[in-house]
Amino acid sequence: MGIQKRLVGSYLIVILITVTILEIFLLVSVKYYYYHNIERILMNQAELSASFFHQYFADEDLQAQSERLLNGFAQNSAAQVQIISSSGQLLQDSTSHLVGKSMIKYQDVQEALSGNIGIWRGNDPITHEDILAVSYSLRAKDITVGAVRFVTSLTETVETINHIFVVFISVGLFVVAIVTVLGIFLSRTITNSITELKLAADKMAEGDFSVTAKKQYQDELGSLADTLNTMAAKIRLNEQLKNDFITSVSHELRTPLTSIKGWVVTLISNREDSGAMLQDGLEIIETETDRLTEMVDELLDFSKLDNERIVLTSTSLHISEFIQHIGKQMAPRAARQSISFEVHADDTLPIIQADENRLKQVLINLLDNSLKFTDPNGSIQLYANSVQGYVMISVEDTGSGIAEGDMAHVLQKFYKGNNHAAGSGLGLSISEQIIKLHGGQLLIESQEGLGTKVEIFLPK
C-alpha cells in the first residue's frame, strides 16, 4: 500500500472516529434534552395539580369532585389528563374514552399510588404511538386518595429528534467528505515531494549527479532535498578531484619515468663514456626514483587511511629532541635554497606517547611544502611549546600563502589548489588523518602573498 493511501486512510479513520463520537454525544444530548424537558413540564403540571387538590379539595370526595378537578387540571395543559382513584380505577379522562378502566397495570400509576412520583414511557394501546406519562399522588390528610396523571404524545418530539439526527448525520458525512478531499490533497503534497526525491535519488544511484532534487516546501522533505543536493554537489566535486588526481598522478609518474628512461637510453648509447655523463645520469635516476617512491608511499598511506588500516606504533617521544632532529635534517635543504630556517623547542616539553615515524612524516611534509613555496631570502620557523594540556608544534613560513578560495579545500584528498604544485595532492590530507589518529588537531592559517602557519596540537 502506497504512502498516499496510508495517509488518506489514517486521516479518514481518525476523522470517522472523531465524528462518530461527536455525533453520538450530540444525538444523546439532543434526545435527553427533548425528553427531559417534556418530562419536567409534565412533572411541574402534575405537582401543581396535586398541590391545588391538597389545598382546595382535600376534604372533598375524589370521585364526586373528579370532573371539576379534571376541568381545572386540563384547562392549563395541552397534555391528556387523567384522574385515578386509590384503587387504580380511571375516574376521569380528558379524552373521555378510557373512563372506568383499571390503570393499576401502569408502572407510573403504581408509583403514584404508593406516594411517589411515577414516570413511564411506552406505547399507547389505542393509538399505538409513543407516549410519556407522569403520575402524581393526590393526598388528603397524609393519605393517598388517588392520583393525577398527565400523558403526552411523543410523535412530534420523535419526528423533531429524527430530523435533527438527519441534519447531524448529514453534517457529519459532509465533514468526512471534506476531510477526505483535504486528506487526498495534503497527502499529494507529501507524496509528490517524495516522488520527486525518489526520481532524483534513482538518477543519482545510476551515476547522474547533475540532477537536482526539487525543494517544494520548507519542511523535513525540503531539508532532505537540500541534503541530496549537497551530497550530489560533494560527489561531483570528489569526482572532479578524482579525475584531476588521476590526470595529475599520471603526469607526475610519467615525468620521472620519462627522465629515467631517457637517461637509461643515453647511458646505453654511450657505454664507452664512463665519466661525468654517467655520474650525472645516475644521480638523476636516483632522484627521480626517490620521487616515484615518495608518490607510491603517499598512495599506499592514503589507501590504508581510507580503509582505516593504519595502526600507530606509539612509543615514548621527547618532543624537544624530536623537533631538533627534524630541524637538523631539513636545514641543509633550506640553506641550499637561501631560506632562513630556525627551530625553537622548549627543553621542558614533556614526553608524550606517539608514533615517531608518522609524526616525522607529517612534519617533513609540512616543511617540504614550506620550502617549495618560499622564495629565496624568505624564512621558515619551526616551534614547539606547551598550551593548555597540549603540545603545540607549528610550522610558519613567509611563502606565497594559500588563496582564500582554496583554504576550505586544502585538507581534502586529491586537492592541489591553483598553484599546480607537483605531487599527488594527498600530503595534507594524510597529515591531518595521522594527527587525528593521535587524538590531536591540525589547523591552517594563511594569507595569499604573506605566508602560511600550520599548527599541530597533540595531547600530553
Side-chain angles (χ1 to χ4, degrees):
M1 183 183 293
I3 294 178
Q4 183 175 357
K5 290 183 179 179
R6 292 205 302 272
L7 285 174
V8 174
S10 299
Y11 292 151
L12 192 57
I13 289 173
V14 170
I15 198 61
L16 279 175
I17 293 174
T18 304
V19 169
T20 300
I21 293 174
L22 184 60
E23 290 276 355
I24 292 174
F25 173 76
L26 290 175
L27 295 178
V28 171
S29 298
V30 167
K31 190 174 182 180
Y32 173 80
Y33 170 78
Y34 273 91
Y35 286 158
H36 180 71
N37 191 48
I38 294 174
E39 181 181 304
R40 182 174 54 81
I41 291 173
L42 293 181
M43 286 183 63
N44 289 338
Q45 291 177 348
E47 184 178 5
L48 183 62
S49 299
S51 177
F52 179 81
F53 172 80
H54 180 73
Q55 186 173 1
Y56 297 105
F57 291 90
D59 296 329
E60 303 289 338
D61 181 64
L62 177 63
Q63 185 172 1
Q65 300 297 329
S66 61
E67 186 174 355
R68 290 179 61 195
L69 288 173
L70 178 66
N71 293 333
F73 294 163
Q75 185 177 0
N76 298 315
S77 176
Q80 177 184 357
V81 182
Q82 296 175 334
I83 307 296
I84 302 171
S85 67
S86 59
S87 62
Q89 183 182 6
L90 181 61
L91 300 178
Q92 294 291 334
D93 189 334
S94 59
T95 60
S96 302
H97 60 271
L98 293 176
V99 176
K101 183 181 177 181
S102 175
M103 304 293 290
I104 198 67
K105 64 180 180 180
Y106 294 103
Q107 183 178 353
D108 61 303
V109 175
Q110 296 174 10
E111 293 288 336
L113 294 178
S114 299
N116 301 317
I117 300 174
I119 301 172
W120 177 78
R121 180 186 169 193
N123 187 265
D124 189 294
I126 298 176
T127 61
H128 302 291
E129 60 181 350
D130 284 340
I131 60 173
L132 177 65
V134 174
S135 297
Y136 212 96
S137 60
L138 299 176
R139 302 176 65 83
K141 299 179 181 180
D142 296 329
I143 298 174
T144 301
V145 296
V148 60
R149 189 178 192 231
F150 285 81
V151 183
T152 186
S153 172
L154 296 177
T155 301
E156 292 184 2
T157 303
V158 171
E159 290 178 355
T160 301
I161 292 175
N162 289 338
H163 178 72
I164 294 174
F165 282 8
V166 171
V167 172
F168 281 173
I169 292 173
S170 299
V171 171
L173 292 175
F174 179 73
V175 170
V176 170
I178 291 295
V179 171
T180 302
V181 173
L182 290 176
I184 293 173
F185 173 75
L186 291 175
S187 65
R188 282 181 179 175
T189 63
I190 297 174
T191 55
N192 288 344
S193 298
I194 294 175
T195 301
E196 292 288 342
L197 291 176
K198 182 180 181 301
L199 292 175
D202 288 341
K203 291 182 179 179
M204 291 179 187
E206 294 172 359
D208 182 7
F209 298 106
S210 63
V211 67
T212 301
K214 294 182 180 179
K215 183 177 180 180
Q216 298 184 358
Y217 304 99
Q218 296 289 340
D219 55 8
E220 289 80 359
L221 292 176
S223 298
L224 180 57
D226 289 337
T227 301
L228 284 176
N229 292 334
T230 302
M231 180 188 69
K234 289 184 177 180
I235 292 176
R236 288 197 300 271
L237 177 60
N238 288 335
E239 285 290 315
Q240 182 62 43
L241 291 174
K242 182 192 72 173
N243 294 334
D244 293 344
F245 166 75
I246 292 174
T247 302
S248 175
V249 168
S250 299
H251 173 73
E252 296 296 336
L253 290 174
R254 186 182 295 111
T255 300
L257 287 173
T258 301
S259 180
I260 292 171
K261 176 68 174 178
W263 274 100
V264 168
V265 171
T266 300
L267 293 177
I268 291 175
S269 300
N270 297 275
R271 293 179 182 178
E272 296 179 357
D273 296 330
S274 57
M277 181 179 291
L278 177 61
Q279 182 67 27
D280 292 341
L282 291 176
E283 288 179 358
I284 292 173
I285 289 173
E286 182 182 12
T287 301
E288 298 300 324
T289 302
D290 290 340
R291 284 182 61 193
L292 285 173
T293 301
E294 182 181 354
M295 293 181 64
V296 171
D297 287 341
E298 282 190 348
L299 292 173
L300 289 174
D301 283 343
F302 165 71
S303 177
K304 290 179 180 178
L305 284 168
D306 206 39
N307 292 283
E308 300 181 351
R309 290 190 290 110
I310 279 189
V311 179
L312 298 180
T313 304
S314 296
T315 58
S316 298
L317 179 63
H318 196 296
I319 291 296
S320 180
E321 295 178 359
F322 173 70
I323 294 298
Q324 293 292 346
H325 176 73
I326 295 293
K328 291 178 182 180
Q329 183 175 343
M330 302 300 292
R333 179 179 170 185
R336 288 196 304 270
Q337 297 181 211
S338 300
I339 296 174
S340 173
F341 180 51
E342 296 180 8
V343 179
H344 306 276
D346 189 352
D347 291 334
T348 62
L349 287 174
I351 296 175
I352 66 171
Q353 297 296 314
D355 188 323
E356 181 177 358
N357 290 330
R358 289 297 178 182
L359 287 184
K360 183 177 181 180
Q361 176 186 350
V362 171
L363 287 177
I364 289 178
N365 179 269
L366 296 178
L367 291 169
D368 179 67
N369 286 340
S370 293
L371 290 167
K372 285 179 182 177
F373 301 111
T374 302
D375 296 330
N377 301 320
S379 68
I380 298 174
Q381 307 286 333
L382 177 61
Y383 294 94
N385 49 52
S386 294
V387 287
Q388 298 179 349
Y390 288 89
V391 172
M392 185 188 75
I393 303 172
S394 66
V395 177
E396 187 173 356
D397 63 55
T398 59
S400 59
I402 302 172
E404 185 178 353
D406 293 331
M407 278 297 297
H409 308 291
V410 291
L411 294 177
Q412 291 182 1
K413 55 189 179 183
F414 311 136
Y415 193 82
K416 297 176 68 175
N418 296 323
N419 50 43
H420 302 293
S424 62
L426 293 171
L428 284 176
S429 177
I430 292 173
S431 297
E432 183 192 32
Q433 293 300 318
I434 290 174
I435 297 303
K436 283 185 177 179
L437 288 174
H438 281 84
Q441 189 177 15
L442 185 146
L443 302 176
I444 299 177
E445 297 177 7
S446 183
Q447 283 186 300
E448 190 172 12
L450 298 178
T452 301
K453 181 179 180 181
V454 182
E455 294 179 332
I456 297 172
F457 294 88
L458 296 170
K460 293 181 179 179

